[in-house]
């Protein structure tokens, strides 16, 4: 499985935007970029995914570099509820693509 | 209903006990998963079921025995566990044909302690 690299931790103030980076220099053409987050004492939760183009949904935006070797998850206005571990995951869609291989993730701390 | 439920929430068992973890979903998903998560670590895939058949076993020791009796239910039978098996066990489900989305829905997990 292609590997992702994320900072161990990041901090943000409430109501400010947060940019969470992810490097995936060995990404292949059939890898989708997925982001999940895990709030304290909960299971992981899907956030967003993309292949080549930037993506927006109600939770976040995903900006993908033109060469696809890096991506950034953007939370437009962080709230205390967004404090979680954010995982960037590459998912190979060939052969069904049911496997998610989680990296170490970024612990996001949000302060008032 | 987009919920995956897991029971029990907490489980303490001795190394000679036999116990089972249960997972249930009613989203019509035909792929179900077991993950293991140690403290401060990311989840690690253990098993994948597709259409009630085991499709992926990530070289998990035989003291963990999964079972998918129907399309809504997934069990994990535990026997002769070791203290190092203490962890959060997460269940997830998804469409089998994950294709473009790949979204997995996770339950809250069962916190297992082996004494």
């Amino acid at each position: 499985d292609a590997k992702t690299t994320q900072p161990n931790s990041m901090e943000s103030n409430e109501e400010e935007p947060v940019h969470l980076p992810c490097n995936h220099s060995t990404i292949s053409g059939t890898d989708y970029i997925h982001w999940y987050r895990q709030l304290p004492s909960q299971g992981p939760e899907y956030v967003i995914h993309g292949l080549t183009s930037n993506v927006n949904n109600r939770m976040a935006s995903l900006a993908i570099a033109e060469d696809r070797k890096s991506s950034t998850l953007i939370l437009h206005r962080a709230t205390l509820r967004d404090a979680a571990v954010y995982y960037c995951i590459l998912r190979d869609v060939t052969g069904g693509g049911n496997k998610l291989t989680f990296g170490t993730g970024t612990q996001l701390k949000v302060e008032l | 209903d987009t919920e995956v439920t897991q029971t029990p929430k907490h489980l303490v068992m001795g190394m000679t006990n036999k116990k089972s973890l249960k997972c249930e979903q009613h989203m019509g998903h035909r792929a179900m998963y077991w993950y293991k998560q140690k403290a401060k670590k990311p989840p690690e895939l253990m098993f994948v079921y597709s259409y009630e058949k085991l499709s992926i076993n990530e070289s998990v020791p035989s003291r963990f025995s999964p079972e998918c009796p129907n399309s809504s239910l997934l069990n994990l039978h535990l026997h002769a566990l070791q203290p190092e098996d203490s962890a959060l066990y997460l269940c997830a489900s998804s469409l089998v044909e994950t294709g473009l989305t790949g979204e997995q829905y996770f339950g809250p997990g069962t916190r297992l302690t082996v004494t």
Side-chain angles (χ1 to χ4, degrees):
Chain A
D1 296 323
K3 190 177 162 66
T4 62
T5 305
Q6 300 175 251
N8 287 334
S9 64
M10 292 185 65
E11 292 185 7
S12 173
N13 294 319
E14 203 177 18
E15 304 291 315
E16 291 186 356
V18 181
H19 289 64
L20 298 167
C22 180
N23 287 320
H24 29 78
S25 57
T26 60
I27 191 170
S28 73
T30 53
D31 284 334
Y32 275 73
I33 302 159
H34 286 252
W35 285 82
Y36 280 72
R37 71 179 185 181
Q38 188 170 19
L39 279 67
S41 302
Q42 294 189 28
E45 171 187 34
Y46 168 85
V47 177
I48 200 166
H49 78 281
L51 182 62
T52 57
S53 304
N54 295 344
V55 184
N56 300 298
N57 67 20
R58 63 174 179 82
M59 289 182 71
S61 296
L62 176 60
I64 301 172
E66 199 168 330
D67 63 4
R68 300 208 326 125
K69 295 189 176 190
S70 66
S71 61
T72 302
L73 179 70
I74 302 165
L75 306 180
H76 296 286
R77 291 179 66 194
T79 69
L80 295 176
R81 196 198 169 276
D82 292 321
V85 179
Y86 286 78
Y87 295 103
C88 171
I89 301 164
L90 299 183
R91 188 179 72 92
D92 186 351
V93 299
T94 59
N98 277 339
K99 283 183 65 170
L100 289 180
T101 304
F102 287 77
T104 52
T106 296
Q107 173 71 63
L108 176 65
K109 300 175 187 176
V110 180
E111 298 178 342
L112 290 171
Chain B
D1 180 10
T2 58
E3 191 179 18
V4 175
T5 58
Q6 290 187 245
T7 53
K9 284 187 169 51
H10 301 274
L11 178 63
V12 179
M13 61 185 290
M15 289 188 285
T16 59
N17 291 157
K18 285 185 181 181
K19 296 286 185 184
S20 296
L21 309 184
K22 179 180 170 180
C23 173
E24 198 162 4
Q25 58 86 17
H26 296 286
M27 293 178 277
H29 291 164
R30 302 298 294 276
M32 296 186 77
Y33 312 77
W34 281 115
Y35 289 83
K36 173 181 177 179
Q37 186 173 25
K38 301 281 279 184
K40 307 281 188 197
K41 297 291 186 184
E44 295 178 346
L45 182 67
M46 300 174 72
F47 302 104
V48 180
Y49 272 83
S50 295
Y51 296 110
E52 296 84 68
K53 287 186 173 18
L54 185 65
S55 60
I56 296 176
N57 176 342
E58 293 287 271
S59 302
V60 178
S62 60
R63 57 186 184 269
F64 295 91
S65 175
E67 179 196 21
C68 190
N70 61 55
S71 59
S72 299
L73 195 56
L74 184 67
N75 298 321
L76 186 62
H77 303 297
L78 314 171
H79 173 54
L81 294 193
Q82 304 296 310
E84 58 265 29
D85 296 321
S86 298
L88 181 69
Y89 288 85
L90 293 160
C91 174
S93 72
S94 76
L95 298 172
V96 172
E97 297 79 18
T98 49
L100 300 182
T101 63
E103 181 175 354
Q104 292 186 17
Y105 293 79
F106 284 81
T110 293
R111 177 79 57 191
L112 174 68
T113 303
V114 181
T115 61

